[in-house]
Amino acid sequence: MEPRWSPRGPLRLPRCSACLLLLLGTAGFFQSYAVEVDVKDASNATCLYAQWMMSFLIKYETNSSDYKNATLSLSSNVTHDGSICGNDTQAALLAVQFGEGHSWSVNFTKTNETYQADFITFTYNTNDTAVFPDAKRKGPITIVVKDTMHPVQLNNVFVCHNTDSIEAENVTQFFWNLTLQAFVQNGTIGEKESRCDADTPTSAPTVLPTDANITTASTTTLSPAPTTVPKPVENPDTGNYSLKSGNKTCLLATVGLQLNVSQDKPLLININPKTTSADGTCGNTAATLRLNDGNSRFIDFTFVVKNASANVRRFYLKEVNVTLLNHINGSVILSADNNNFSKWDASLGSSYMCRKEQTLEINEGLQIHTFNLRIQPFLVKENKFSTAQECSLDDDTILIPIVVGAALAGLIVIIVIAYIIGRRKSYAGYQTL
Ligand SMILES: *[C@@H]1O[C@H](CO)[C@@H](O)[C@H](O)[C@H]1NC(C)=O
Ligand SMILES: *[C@@H]1O[C@H](CO)[C@@H](O)[C@H](O)[C@H]1NC(C)=O
Ligand SMILES: *[C@@H]1O[C@H](CO)[C@@H](O)[C@H](O)[C@H]1NC(C)=O
Ligand SMILES: *[C@@H]1O[C@H](CO)[C@@H](O)[C@H](O)[C@H]1NC(C)=O
Ligand SMILES: *[C@@H]1O[C@H](CO)[C@@H](O)[C@H](O)[C@H]1NC(C)=O
Ligand SMILES: *[C@@H]1O[C@H](CO)[C@@H](O)[C@H](O)[C@H]1NC(C)=O
Ligand SMILES: *[C@@H]1O[C@H](CO)[C@@H](O)[C@H](O)[C@H]1NC(C)=O
Ligand SMILES: *[C@@H]1O[C@H](CO)[C@@H](O)[C@H](O)[C@H]1NC(C)=O
Ligand SMILES: *[C@@H]1O[C@H](CO)[C@@H](O)[C@H](O)[C@H]1NC(C)=O
C-alpha cells in the first residue's frame, strides 16, 4: 500500500520519504496488528515516531433496539494520512485510517522540557457490516477523549508494553506495546527512555502461587527437579525462529532455552523448539520476539537500537518478559520482567552469537539459560544471518586450547631438556669410570 500524504499545515510541510507501516499479526490478547509510523520533516529527518498496537471494544445499538459489543482491530489496510510534525506553536498529529472508514488520531503539545498527548479522536463507521452487522444507525461516529499520558521529557522515547485503556462514550480503547516519540530533534529517536508506571520493575516481578500449580499444570516437560541434581542431564534443543514483515524475514534467532524457576523448589524447564512458535514485532529501533512454547509459557525478548553515535549504531537486548500460565485455567503462575538489560550487544547490520551457555537473570526467582545463541533482530538481508559478533565467552573456547596447548608444549620442552641433561650426566658418569 502506498501511503498518501496530505499535510494540513500551511507551512513546513512534512514529507514522507521513508514512512514505514509495518503490519504483523500477533497472537496477543486480541488478534491485532502492530502499526509503525515514521513521519519525516522537510529535511528528511524523523520528527514523529510511533509503533504500537491497539483495539477497540464498542457498544452499539442494534436494529432490534438492544445493545451489542463489537471488537474493532487494526486490519492490514492502514494508512497514515495527515500526520504532522508539529513545532512550538503547532500541535503534532499522529493519524491513522484503517478498515472500512475508521480513523484514529492523537495530537501532542510541547513545552520547553516536555511533550504530552492532548486529545484522542476516534471515528468508527457503523457502515462496516463486518464489524457492526446489525447496527441501527449507519455511518461514522466520532468521539474525542482527553489522553491520560503523563508529560514525557523532550528527546525521551516513551515506552509502555503493558496494556492501557481509555473508556469514553461506549468505546473502550486498548493500547499496548507502545513506543512513541513526538517532537523528535535531529531525527534521533530513543536516546533516553521513559517507561510507563505499569512497566516499572517494582510492579512487574510478581511470583505467584506455588509450584504445586506448576507440576499439576504440566507434567510432561515441567518435571520437579530433585534438589540434589540441579541440572537436567540434557541441555535444551536448539530452535530456529524468525519473524516476517510481508514476505521478507525481518528477525532471525537460533537459540536453546532453559528456564530456572526458583520458587519453593528449584525447577529447570527446557523449552521444546518443536512445539514453540514465534511472533512479535519488527521495527527500525525496537523489535520484540515472542516465543510461545505451546505449554502456556511465553518469553518476550525486546531489542533496541542505541543511537550513541550516528555512524556506528548498535543494538542490544533490553528487556525479557516471561509469563507462565496454568495450563488448565490460564491463571498466571509466574510473571517476571526485566527491562534493564544491556546484553547481546552488536553493531547494527550484524548478528550476535554466543554458543556457550549464558544466563539472563530476570529476577531473583527466574533465570534463563541460553545455548547456541545467534540473533539478528534488525536489518536481516535475504533471510540469512549477517556476519556474527561473538561473545567474549566464545573467545574463551579458542583461548582455552591455546593455553592448554602452550602448557603442553612447555611440558614437552621441560621433559626434553631434563632427558638431555640426564643423558649428559650419565655419559659423564660413564666417562669417569
Ligand atoms: C530521505 O531518506 C531516504 C532514506 O533515508 C532516502 O531514500 C530518500 O531519498 C531521502 N529523500 C530526500 C529528499 O532526501
Ligand atoms: C459490553 O462490554 C461492557 C464492558 O466490558 C460490559 O459491561 C457489557 O456487559 C457488555 N455487553 C454485552 C452485551 O456483552
Ligand atoms: C487536539 O485535538 C483536539 C480535538 O480535535 C482539539 O480540540 C485540540 O484543540 C487539539 N489540541 C491542540 C493543542 O491543537
Ligand atoms: C437487522 O439487520 C440484519 C442485518 O442487516 C437483518 O438481517 C435483520 O433482518 C434486521 N432486523 C430487523 C428487525 O430489522
Ligand atoms: C509480560 O507479558 C505478559 C504476557 O503477555 C503481559 O501480560 C505483561 O503485561 C508483560 N509485562 C511487561 C512488563 O511487559
Ligand atoms: C541537535 O543538533 C544541534 C546542532 O547540531 C545541537 O546543538 C543539538 O544539541 C542537537 N540536539 C539533540 C537533542 O541532539
Ligand atoms: C536451524 O538452522 C540451522 C542453520 O540454518 C540448521 O543447520 C538446523 O538444522 C536448523 N535446525 C532446525 C531444528 O531446523
Ligand atoms: C537456578 O537459580 C537459582 C536461584 O537464582 C540458583 O541458585 C541456581 O544455581 C540456579 N540453577 C542453575 C542450574 O542454574
Ligand atoms: C487455577 O488452578 C489452580 C490449580 O489447578 C488454582 O490454584 C487456581 O486458583 C486456579 N485459578 C483460577 C483463576 O481459577
Side-chain angles (χ1 to χ4, degrees):
M1 117 219 61
E2 274 298 307
R4 299 173 315 278
W5 285 84
S6 50
R8 289 177 192 169
L11 295 162
R12 282 177 162 264
L13 305 184
R15 277 217 321 273
C16 181
S17 37
C19 353
L20 260 155
L21 203 61
L22 189 82
L23 304 157
L24 286 169
T26 82
F29 184 51
F30 304 96
Q31 181 63 40
S32 192
Y33 289 80
V35 194
E36 187 185 47
V37 177
D38 185 352
V39 184
K40 310 270 186 181
D41 64 13
S43 61
N44 209 14
T46 298
C47 63
L48 176 59
Y49 177 86
Q51 186 185 330
W52 76 106
M53 297 180 89
M54 67 177 167
S55 80
F56 308 89
L57 186 67
I58 302 163
K59 189 173 108 182
Y60 68 99
E61 196 177 352
T62 66
N63 54 7
S64 47
S65 288
D66 58 356
Y67 286 87
K68 266 197 193 167
N69 283 336
T71 301
L72 177 60
S73 298
L74 263 66
S75 46
S76 51
N77 57 338
V78 181
T79 55
H80 45 9
D81 297 347
S83 296
I84 295 174
C85 289
N87 53 38
D88 284 345
T89 53
Q90 188 188 20
L93 185 73
L94 177 65
V96 292
Q97 304 80 35
F98 57 98
E100 300 295 315
H102 313 293
S103 62
W104 183 91
S105 69
V106 58
N107 55 9
F108 298 89
T109 55
K110 78 187 271 280
T111 66
N112 281 343
E113 274 110 43
T114 62
Y115 65 92
Q116 182 172 18
D118 194 15
F119 281 93
I120 291 174
T121 305
F122 173 50
T123 299
Y124 56 100
N125 185 358
T126 54
N127 266 329
D128 183 350
T129 48
V131 182
F132 311 99
D134 47 5
K136 182 174 189 175
R137 189 183 140 200
K138 303 268 186 193
I141 299 169
T142 297
I143 65 161
V144 177
V145 49
K146 178 95 178 113
D147 197 311
T148 52
M149 182 178 149
H150 297 304
V152 178
Q153 209 63 35
L154 274 181
N155 298 320
N156 279 22
V157 62
F158 179 68
V159 176
C160 195
H161 284 173
N162 273 283
T163 304
D164 191 15
S165 66
I166 298 178
E167 202 177 334
E169 302 180 53
N170 298 333
V171 179
T172 312
Q173 311 187 29
F174 299 92
F175 310 97
W176 67 104
N177 287 356
L178 168 71
T179 302
L180 168 94
Q181 188 170 343
F183 304 103
V184 178
Q185 284 171 27
N186 300 349
T188 312
I189 305 156
E191 262 180 316
K192 290 207 214 88
E193 186 182 285
S194 293
R195 275 276 173 159
C196 60
D197 296 340
D199 276 8
T200 53
T202 45
S203 65
T206 39
V207 176
L208 287 144
T210 63
D211 68 281
N213 277 356
I214 303 180
T215 39
T216 52
S218 163
T219 47
T220 46
T221 44
L222 200 76
S223 54
T227 36
T228 46
V229 184
K231 252 184 157 359
V233 186
E234 291 125 299
N235 281 347
D237 289 340
T238 303
N240 291 331
Y241 309 104
S242 64
L243 295 183
K244 279 189 155 44
S245 163
N247 56 5
K248 264 190 70 199
T249 302
C250 57
L251 180 150
L252 276 174
T254 294
V255 66
L257 292 165
Q258 184 177 70
L259 306 184
N260 175 3
V261 184
S262 310
Q263 291 187 327
D264 293 347
K265 281 184 220 146
L267 273 173
L268 285 164
I269 304 166
N270 280 351
I271 298 296
N272 180 0
K274 291 202 183 72
T275 60
T276 301
S277 60
D279 64 40
T281 51
C282 288
N284 283 345
T285 54
T288 297
L289 172 67
R290 156 168 281 208
L291 298 179
N292 172 356
D293 87 333
N295 286 304
S296 306
R297 302 183 191 116
F298 303 88
I299 310 171
D300 296 7
F301 296 93
T302 300
F303 301 87
V304 297
V305 172
K306 51 180 172 185
N307 294 48
S309 126
N311 292 335
V312 201
R313 298 213 299 164
R314 301 181 73 81
F315 71 82
Y316 64 97
L317 174 70
K318 173 106 184 37
E319 176 167 7
V320 180
N321 177 8
V322 179
T323 307
L324 308 183
L325 301 179
N326 183 310
H327 241 22
I328 299 139
N329 59 16
S331 68
V332 178
I333 295 167
L334 182 151
S335 162
D337 183 66
N338 186 336
N339 64 37
N340 224 352
F341 285 119
S342 47
K343 297 207 168 213
W344 303 358
D345 184 304
S347 59
L348 203 62
S350 63
S351 61
Y352 174 85
M353 181 150 97
C354 199
R355 280 173 291 218
K356 284 199 118 188
E357 176 175 347
Q358 282 185 300
T359 299
L360 298 169
E361 186 102 38
I362 314 302
N363 65 20
E364 56 289 333
L366 182 73
Q367 296 179 345
I368 300 182
H369 303 299
T370 64
F371 301 82
N372 295 325
L373 171 74
R374 188 157 184 194
I375 177 89
Q376 186 167 351
F378 301 102
L379 302 177
V380 174
K381 295 215 174 71
E382 291 159 355
N383 304 343
K384 284 201 299 251
F385 281 115
S386 307
T387 32
Q389 297 196 352
E390 289 200 46
C391 60
S392 45
L393 283 173
D394 279 354
D395 295 339
D396 292 353
T397 56
I398 303 161
L399 206 64
I400 289 164
I402 290 173
V403 169
V404 170
L408 276 176
L411 200 62
I412 289 166
V413 167
I414 289 167
I415 289 168
V416 167
I417 289 172
Y419 174 77
I420 292 169
I421 291 171
R423 271 175 64 117
R424 284 229 178 118
K425 277 212 172 129
S426 37
Y427 278 126
Y430 282 119
Q431 276 169 0
T432 51
L433 271 177

